[in-house]
Amino acid sequence: MAARVLVTGASGFVAQHLILQLLAKGYEVRGTLRSLKRADEVKAVLSKHDPRAKDITFVEADLSSDAGWAEAVKDCAFVQHVASPFPAVHPKDENDLIRPAREGALRVLKAAKAAGVKRVVMTSSMAAIAYGHGDDRAEISDETMWSNPDGPDNTPYTKSKTLAERAAWDYVNGEGKGLELVTINPTGILGPALSADVSTSLEIPIRLVNGKTPGIPRLGFSLVDVRDVAECHVKAMELPEAAGQRFLATEGFLWFSEAAEILRKKFPTYERKIPRRNVPDWALKAMAVFQPVYRQTVTELGRTRKASNAKASRVLGVTFRTAEDALVASAESLIQLKVI
Protein backbone atom coordinates (compact mmCIF):
# COMPACT_ATOMS: atom_id res chain seq x y z
CA MET A 1 0.00 0.00 0.00
CA ALA A 2 1.26 3.46 -0.90
CA ALA A 3 2.61 5.60 1.93
CA ARG A 4 0.27 8.37 3.07
CA VAL A 5 1.60 11.93 3.06
CA LEU A 6 -0.03 14.87 4.82
CA VAL A 7 0.35 18.19 2.99
CA THR A 8 -0.57 21.21 5.12
CA GLY A 9 -2.12 24.28 3.51
CA ALA A 10 -3.33 22.27 0.52
CA SER A 11 -4.87 25.28 -1.24
CA GLY A 12 -1.48 27.02 -1.57
CA PHE A 13 0.72 27.51 -4.64
CA VAL A 14 3.64 25.28 -3.56
CA ALA A 15 1.34 22.75 -1.86
CA GLN A 16 -0.72 22.14 -5.00
CA HIS A 17 2.33 21.56 -7.19
CA LEU A 18 3.72 19.29 -4.48
CA ILE A 19 0.46 17.29 -4.29
CA LEU A 20 0.55 16.72 -8.07
CA GLN A 21 4.13 15.41 -7.86
CA LEU A 22 3.25 13.13 -4.93
CA LEU A 23 0.23 11.72 -6.80
CA ALA A 24 2.39 11.13 -9.88
CA LYS A 25 4.74 9.04 -7.71
CA GLY A 26 1.90 6.95 -6.33
CA TYR A 27 1.61 8.41 -2.82
CA GLU A 28 -1.73 8.68 -1.04
CA VAL A 29 -2.32 12.34 -0.16
CA ARG A 30 -4.24 13.96 2.67
CA GLY A 31 -4.41 17.75 2.84
CA THR A 32 -5.27 20.29 5.50
CA LEU A 33 -7.43 23.34 4.82
CA ARG A 34 -8.45 26.13 7.16
CA SER A 35 -12.01 25.52 5.99
CA LEU A 36 -13.43 22.40 4.37
CA LYS A 37 -15.64 24.72 2.30
CA ARG A 38 -12.68 24.93 -0.09
CA ALA A 39 -12.25 21.16 -0.48
CA ASP A 40 -14.28 20.79 -3.69
CA GLU A 41 -12.60 23.81 -5.27
CA VAL A 42 -9.09 22.49 -4.50
CA LYS A 43 -10.01 19.02 -5.79
CA ALA A 44 -11.42 20.52 -8.99
CA VAL A 45 -8.24 22.52 -9.66
CA LEU A 46 -5.97 19.52 -9.07
CA SER A 47 -8.20 17.10 -10.99
CA LYS A 48 -7.68 19.15 -14.16
CA HIS A 49 -4.02 18.12 -13.96
CA ASP A 50 -4.32 14.60 -12.49
CA PRO A 51 -7.52 12.51 -12.23
CA ARG A 52 -6.08 10.81 -9.11
CA ALA A 53 -6.75 14.07 -7.23
CA LYS A 54 -10.34 12.91 -6.73
CA ASP A 55 -9.02 10.50 -4.07
CA ILE A 56 -7.41 13.19 -1.89
CA THR A 57 -8.95 13.52 1.57
CA PHE A 58 -9.01 16.74 3.59
CA VAL A 59 -9.00 17.63 7.27
CA GLU A 60 -9.90 21.06 8.64
CA ALA A 61 -6.97 22.41 10.65
CA ASP A 62 -5.63 25.89 11.34
CA LEU A 63 -2.10 26.83 12.45
CA SER A 64 -3.50 28.89 15.32
CA SER A 65 -5.51 26.05 16.92
CA ASP A 66 -4.88 22.49 18.17
CA ALA A 67 -8.13 21.25 16.62
CA GLY A 68 -7.79 18.77 13.77
CA TRP A 69 -4.05 18.13 13.84
CA ALA A 70 -4.16 14.71 15.54
CA GLU A 71 -6.71 13.57 12.96
CA ALA A 72 -4.66 15.10 10.12
CA VAL A 73 -1.41 13.24 10.92
CA LYS A 74 -3.04 9.90 11.82
CA ASP A 75 -1.52 6.97 9.87
CA CYS A 76 0.76 9.28 7.84
CA ALA A 77 4.32 8.14 7.11
CA PHE A 78 5.41 11.69 6.18
CA VAL A 79 4.27 15.26 6.71
CA GLN A 80 4.95 18.08 4.24
CA HIS A 81 4.40 21.22 6.31
CA VAL A 82 3.93 23.85 3.63
CA ALA A 83 1.29 26.09 5.26
CA SER A 84 2.59 29.42 6.54
CA PRO A 85 1.16 32.93 6.39
CA PHE A 86 2.53 35.05 3.48
CA PRO A 87 0.50 38.27 3.27
CA ALA A 88 0.72 40.83 0.46
CA VAL A 89 0.92 43.64 3.05
CA HIS A 90 2.50 44.01 6.49
CA PRO A 91 0.21 43.30 9.44
CA LYS A 92 -0.18 46.15 11.94
CA ASP A 93 1.31 43.89 14.62
CA GLU A 94 4.20 41.67 13.48
CA ASN A 95 3.13 39.03 16.01
CA ASP A 96 0.01 38.43 13.92
CA LEU A 97 2.42 36.80 11.46
CA ILE A 98 5.13 35.49 13.79
CA ARG A 99 2.80 33.69 16.22
CA PRO A 100 0.95 31.44 13.73
CA ALA A 101 4.16 30.68 11.83
CA ARG A 102 6.14 29.61 14.93
CA GLU A 103 3.32 28.06 16.96
CA GLY A 104 1.86 26.43 13.85
CA ALA A 105 5.17 24.74 13.05
CA LEU A 106 5.41 23.41 16.59
CA ARG A 107 1.79 22.18 16.52
CA VAL A 108 2.46 20.20 13.36
CA LEU A 109 5.75 18.77 14.65
CA LYS A 110 4.27 17.74 18.02
CA ALA A 111 1.28 16.08 16.34
CA ALA A 112 3.62 14.29 13.90
CA LYS A 113 5.86 13.06 16.73
CA ALA A 114 2.85 11.78 18.74
CA ALA A 115 1.51 9.93 15.68
CA GLY A 116 4.82 8.19 14.91
CA VAL A 117 5.46 10.07 11.64
CA LYS A 118 8.92 9.27 10.27
CA ARG A 119 9.88 12.62 8.75
CA VAL A 120 8.56 16.17 8.42
CA VAL A 121 9.64 18.35 5.51
CA MET A 122 8.97 21.99 6.32
CA THR A 123 8.81 24.90 3.90
CA SER A 124 10.98 27.63 5.33
CA SER A 125 12.47 30.43 3.22
CA MET A 126 15.61 32.24 2.18
CA ALA A 127 14.12 34.80 4.60
CA ALA A 128 15.49 32.58 7.42
CA ILE A 129 18.99 32.65 5.90
CA ALA A 130 19.89 35.99 4.30
CA TYR A 131 18.31 38.84 6.31
CA GLY A 132 19.05 41.05 9.28
CA HIS A 133 22.70 41.72 8.45
CA GLY A 134 22.28 44.97 6.49
CA ASP A 135 25.21 45.68 4.20
CA ASP A 136 27.30 43.02 5.98
CA ARG A 137 25.25 40.23 4.34
CA ALA A 138 27.05 37.54 2.35
CA GLU A 139 27.42 38.06 -1.39
CA ILE A 140 26.02 34.56 -1.93
CA SER A 141 24.05 32.95 0.89
CA ASP A 142 24.13 29.24 1.75
CA GLU A 143 22.49 26.86 4.22
CA THR A 144 25.11 27.39 6.94
CA MET A 145 23.80 30.94 7.46
CA TRP A 146 20.92 32.28 9.56
CA SER A 147 19.04 35.56 9.44
CA ASN A 148 19.28 37.85 12.46
CA PRO A 149 15.62 38.60 13.35
CA ASP A 150 16.70 41.69 15.31
CA GLY A 151 18.78 43.13 12.44
CA PRO A 152 18.00 46.19 10.31
CA ASP A 153 16.69 44.82 6.99
CA ASN A 154 13.81 42.71 8.28
CA THR A 155 10.08 42.65 7.71
CA PRO A 156 7.47 40.85 9.85
CA TYR A 157 7.55 38.09 7.19
CA THR A 158 11.33 37.52 7.30
CA LYS A 159 11.21 37.49 11.11
CA SER A 160 8.34 34.98 11.12
CA LYS A 161 10.22 32.56 8.85
CA THR A 162 13.43 32.78 10.90
CA LEU A 163 11.72 32.31 14.27
CA ALA A 164 9.51 29.47 13.00
CA GLU A 165 12.43 27.53 11.55
CA ARG A 166 14.59 28.09 14.65
CA ALA A 167 11.74 26.80 16.83
CA ALA A 168 11.35 23.72 14.61
CA TRP A 169 15.03 22.75 14.87
CA ASP A 170 15.06 23.42 18.63
CA TYR A 171 12.08 21.08 19.00
CA VAL A 172 13.52 18.12 17.03
CA ASN A 173 16.89 18.52 18.75
CA GLY A 174 15.21 18.51 22.17
CA GLU A 175 11.74 17.39 23.20
CA GLY A 176 10.96 15.96 19.74
CA LYS A 177 14.19 13.96 19.36
CA GLY A 178 13.72 10.99 17.04
CA LEU A 179 11.47 12.86 14.59
CA GLU A 180 13.37 13.61 11.38
CA LEU A 181 13.17 17.16 10.02
CA VAL A 182 14.24 18.68 6.70
CA THR A 183 13.69 22.30 5.72
CA ILE A 184 13.41 23.69 2.21
CA ASN A 185 14.36 27.38 1.96
CA PRO A 186 13.10 28.82 -1.34
CA THR A 187 13.79 32.29 -2.70
CA GLY A 188 11.01 34.14 -4.61
CA ILE A 189 8.75 31.48 -6.11
CA LEU A 190 7.45 31.85 -9.67
CA GLY A 191 6.21 29.30 -12.21
CA PRO A 192 2.83 28.25 -13.55
CA ALA A 193 -0.29 29.17 -11.56
CA LEU A 194 -2.82 26.31 -11.44
CA SER A 195 -5.85 28.53 -10.84
CA ALA A 196 -6.88 32.19 -10.82
CA ASP A 197 -6.59 32.17 -7.00
CA VAL A 198 -2.98 33.29 -7.26
CA SER A 199 -0.15 33.30 -4.76
CA THR A 200 1.30 36.51 -3.32
CA SER A 201 4.63 35.51 -4.88
CA LEU A 202 3.15 35.96 -8.37
CA GLU A 203 2.66 39.69 -7.73
CA ILE A 204 5.93 40.36 -9.64
CA PRO A 205 4.76 39.24 -13.12
CA ILE A 206 1.21 40.50 -12.42
CA ARG A 207 2.43 44.01 -11.59
CA LEU A 208 4.79 44.12 -14.56
CA VAL A 209 2.19 43.02 -17.13
CA ASN A 210 -1.17 44.37 -15.90
CA GLY A 211 -0.56 47.94 -17.11
CA LYS A 212 -1.16 49.43 -13.64
CA THR A 213 2.47 49.88 -12.63
CA PRO A 214 3.80 53.33 -13.64
CA GLY A 215 7.49 52.41 -13.70
CA ILE A 216 10.22 50.03 -12.65
CA PRO A 217 11.68 50.34 -9.14
CA ARG A 218 15.33 49.51 -8.38
CA LEU A 219 14.33 46.10 -7.02
CA GLY A 220 15.42 42.57 -7.75
CA PHE A 221 14.90 39.11 -6.30
CA SER A 222 16.46 35.66 -6.40
CA LEU A 223 13.90 33.39 -8.04
CA VAL A 224 13.02 29.72 -8.38
CA ASP A 225 10.37 27.72 -10.23
CA VAL A 226 7.56 26.29 -8.07
CA ARG A 227 7.91 22.90 -9.80
CA ASP A 228 11.52 22.68 -8.64
CA VAL A 229 10.55 23.73 -5.10
CA ALA A 230 7.99 20.90 -5.09
CA GLU A 231 10.60 18.43 -6.36
CA CYS A 232 12.96 19.52 -3.55
CA HIS A 233 10.20 18.69 -1.05
CA VAL A 234 9.63 15.22 -2.54
CA LYS A 235 13.34 14.35 -2.65
CA ALA A 236 13.84 15.73 0.87
CA MET A 237 11.13 13.33 2.04
CA GLU A 238 12.47 10.29 0.21
CA LEU A 239 16.27 10.45 0.50
CA PRO A 240 17.72 9.08 3.77
CA GLU A 241 20.72 11.43 3.55
CA ALA A 242 18.46 14.54 3.54
CA ALA A 243 17.40 14.04 7.19
CA GLY A 244 18.45 16.87 9.48
CA GLN A 245 19.41 19.18 6.61
CA ARG A 246 18.40 22.57 5.21
CA PHE A 247 18.23 23.13 1.45
CA LEU A 248 18.10 26.43 -0.43
CA ALA A 249 15.84 26.22 -3.49
CA THR A 250 16.89 28.98 -5.89
CA GLU A 251 18.20 29.57 -9.38
CA GLY A 252 19.06 33.14 -10.36
CA PHE A 253 18.69 36.81 -9.47
CA LEU A 254 16.70 39.17 -11.72
CA TRP A 255 16.26 42.92 -11.44
CA PHE A 256 12.74 44.12 -12.22
CA SER A 257 14.21 45.94 -15.25
CA GLU A 258 15.58 42.60 -16.55
CA ALA A 259 12.28 40.85 -15.86
CA ALA A 260 10.38 43.58 -17.74
CA GLU A 261 12.71 43.20 -20.74
CA ILE A 262 12.22 39.40 -20.79
CA LEU A 263 8.43 39.78 -20.66
CA ARG A 264 8.43 42.44 -23.41
CA LYS A 265 10.30 40.10 -25.75
CA LYS A 266 8.19 37.04 -24.92
CA PHE A 267 4.80 38.75 -24.94
CA PRO A 268 4.89 41.48 -27.62
CA THR A 269 1.11 41.99 -27.45
CA TYR A 270 1.58 43.23 -23.85
CA GLU A 271 4.58 45.41 -24.71
CA ARG A 272 2.75 48.72 -24.21
CA LYS A 273 1.49 47.66 -20.76
CA ILE A 274 4.94 46.71 -19.45
CA PRO A 275 6.66 49.77 -17.93
CA ARG A 276 9.94 51.09 -19.33
CA ARG A 277 10.83 54.10 -17.22
CA ASN A 278 12.59 53.74 -13.89
CA VAL A 279 10.99 54.81 -10.61
CA PRO A 280 13.42 56.69 -8.33
CA ASP A 281 13.90 55.27 -4.84
CA TRP A 282 12.24 58.28 -3.17
CA ALA A 283 9.08 57.71 -5.22
CA LEU A 284 8.74 54.09 -4.10
CA LYS A 285 9.26 55.16 -0.49
CA ALA A 286 6.50 57.76 -0.92
CA MET A 287 4.19 55.18 -2.55
CA ALA A 288 4.82 52.82 0.39
CA VAL A 289 3.27 55.38 2.75
CA PHE A 290 -0.05 55.22 0.90
CA GLN A 291 0.08 51.72 -0.64
CA PRO A 292 0.96 49.08 1.98
CA VAL A 293 1.86 46.48 -0.69
CA TYR A 294 5.09 48.43 -1.37
CA ARG A 295 6.19 48.48 2.29
CA GLN A 296 7.57 44.94 2.06
CA THR A 297 9.94 46.03 -0.70
CA VAL A 298 11.40 49.33 0.55
CA THR A 299 14.16 47.54 2.51
CA GLU A 300 15.21 45.81 -0.75
CA LEU A 301 15.84 48.93 -2.86
CA GLY A 302 19.15 48.53 -4.68
CA ARG A 303 20.03 45.35 -2.76
CA THR A 304 21.08 42.09 -4.36
CA ARG A 305 20.46 38.91 -2.37
CA LYS A 306 21.90 35.92 -4.15
CA ALA A 307 21.88 32.35 -2.90
CA SER A 308 23.48 29.05 -3.90
CA ASN A 309 21.57 25.95 -4.99
CA ALA A 310 24.74 23.82 -4.97
CA LYS A 311 23.67 21.71 -1.98
CA ALA A 312 20.15 21.00 -3.31
CA SER A 313 21.59 20.12 -6.71
CA ARG A 314 24.22 17.82 -5.18
CA VAL A 315 22.28 16.08 -2.40
CA LEU A 316 18.71 16.15 -3.75
CA GLY A 317 19.68 15.80 -7.41
CA VAL A 318 17.38 18.61 -8.55
CA THR A 319 18.15 20.34 -11.87
CA PHE A 320 16.72 23.83 -11.55
CA ARG A 321 14.88 25.65 -14.33
CA THR A 322 16.21 29.14 -15.01
CA ALA A 323 14.74 32.23 -13.36
CA GLU A 324 13.78 33.43 -16.85
CA ASP A 325 11.87 30.19 -17.57
CA ALA A 326 10.05 30.47 -14.22
CA LEU A 327 9.08 34.09 -14.97
CA VAL A 328 7.81 33.26 -18.47
CA ALA A 329 5.85 30.22 -17.21
CA SER A 330 4.18 32.47 -14.60
CA ALA A 331 3.15 35.05 -17.15
CA GLU A 332 1.90 32.43 -19.64
CA SER A 333 -0.32 30.82 -17.00
CA LEU A 334 -1.63 34.17 -15.70
CA ILE A 335 -2.58 35.25 -19.24
CA GLN A 336 -4.24 31.89 -19.89
CA LEU A 337 -6.18 32.11 -16.62
CA LYS A 338 -7.17 35.72 -17.49
CA VAL A 339 -5.57 37.07 -14.31
CA ILE A 340 -3.72 39.60 -16.51
Side-chain angles (χ1 to χ4, degrees), residues 122-180:
M122 174 173 153
T123 313
S124 185
S125 171
M126 181 195 184
I129 286 176
Y131 286 76
H133 303 288
D135 292 331
D136 294 331
R137 69 190 179 282
E139 193 177 329
I140 298 177
S141 298
D142 64 39
E143 293 86 350
T144 63
M145 300 169 189
W146 278 93
S147 294
N148 170 14
D150 302 315
D153 50 340
N154 269 299
T155 66
Y157 175 72
T158 59
K159 278 191 186 182
S160 76
K161 296 307 282 188
T162 306
L163 295 171
E165 192 189 336
R166 282 281 196 196
W169 286 115
D170 287 347
Y171 175 75
V172 297
N173 290 324
E175 187 192 328
K177 216 167 186 55
L179 175 64
E180 293 177 356

Side-chain angles (χ1 to χ4, degrees), residues 138-280:
E139 193 177 329
I140 298 177
S141 298
D142 64 39
E143 293 86 350
T144 63
M145 300 169 189
W146 278 93
S147 294
N148 170 14
D150 302 315
D153 50 340
N154 269 299
T155 66
Y157 175 72
T158 59
K159 278 191 186 182
S160 76
K161 296 307 282 188
T162 306
L163 295 171
E165 192 189 336
R166 282 281 196 196
W169 286 115
D170 287 347
Y171 175 75
V172 297
N173 290 324
E175 187 192 328
K177 216 167 186 55
L179 175 64
E180 293 177 356
L181 176 66
V182 189
T183 61
I184 305 298
N185 298 65
T187 52
I189 304 171
L190 297 182
L194 298 179
S195 76
D197 176 26
V198 295
S199 160
T200 304
S201 61
L202 293 177
E203 283 292 320
I204 295 171
I206 290 170
R207 286 182 175 274
L208 285 174
V209 181
N210 68 6
K212 294 175 185 171
T213 303
I216 299 170
R218 205 162 54 100
L219 290 170
F221 294 96
S222 287
L223 299 167
V224 64
D225 193 291
V226 65
R227 293 164 290 187
D228 300 332
V229 176
E231 187 186 347
C232 285
H233 281 74
V234 176
K235 296 277 183 67
M237 181 183 89
E238 293 178 332
L239 295 170
E241 59 270 33
Q245 308 267 355
R246 310 167 85 202
F247 294 98
L248 268 159
T250 186
E251 198 286 317
F253 181 93
L254 285 179
W255 289 104
F256 269 37
S257 54
E258 294 173 312
E261 191 54 40
I262 289 164
L263 293 170
R264 260 195 296 276
K265 283 182 181 162
K266 282 283 180 184
F267 304 98
T269 52
Y270 286 82
E271 190 179 355
R272 291 177 63 190
K273 288 187 165 188
I274 299 168
R276 285 183 181 275
R277 63 196 182 99
N278 294 326
V279 172

Side-chain angles (χ1 to χ4, degrees), residues 39-182:
D40 290 345
E41 171 203 333
V42 172
K43 245 183 213 192
V45 168
L46 294 170
S47 295
K48 284 179 189 167
H49 302 273
D50 191 325
R52 286 169 289 202
K54 70 180 188 320
D55 298 324
I56 299 170
T57 56
F58 294 102
V59 172
E60 189 165 294
D62 190 297
L63 294 178
S64 59
S65 163
D66 290 337
W69 288 109
E71 184 192 343
V73 296
K74 190 174 186 290
D75 300 327
C76 288
F78 303 100
V79 171
Q80 294 275 0
H81 178 41
V82 190
S84 186
F86 183 15
V89 298
H90 286 338
K92 285 195 172 110
D93 180 354
E94 64 180 22
N95 286 309
D96 291 346
L97 202 51
I98 292 167
R99 203 177 296 111
R102 182 177 57 205
E103 292 178 8
L106 291 173
R107 265 192 185 91
V108 173
L109 288 166
K110 286 174 182 177
K113 171 76 175 160
V117 167
K118 177 178 168 53
R119 182 179 297 183
V120 175
V121 180
M122 174 173 153
T123 313
S124 185
S125 171
M126 181 195 184
I129 286 176
Y131 286 76
H133 303 288
D135 292 331
D136 294 331
R137 69 190 179 282
E139 193 177 329
I140 298 177
S141 298
D142 64 39
E143 293 86 350
T144 63
M145 300 169 189
W146 278 93
S147 294
N148 170 14
D150 302 315
D153 50 340
N154 269 299
T155 66
Y157 175 72
T158 59
K159 278 191 186 182
S160 76
K161 296 307 282 188
T162 306
L163 295 171
E165 192 189 336
R166 282 281 196 196
W169 286 115
D170 287 347
Y171 175 75
V172 297
N173 290 324
E175 187 192 328
K177 216 167 186 55
L179 175 64
E180 293 177 356
L181 176 66
V182 189

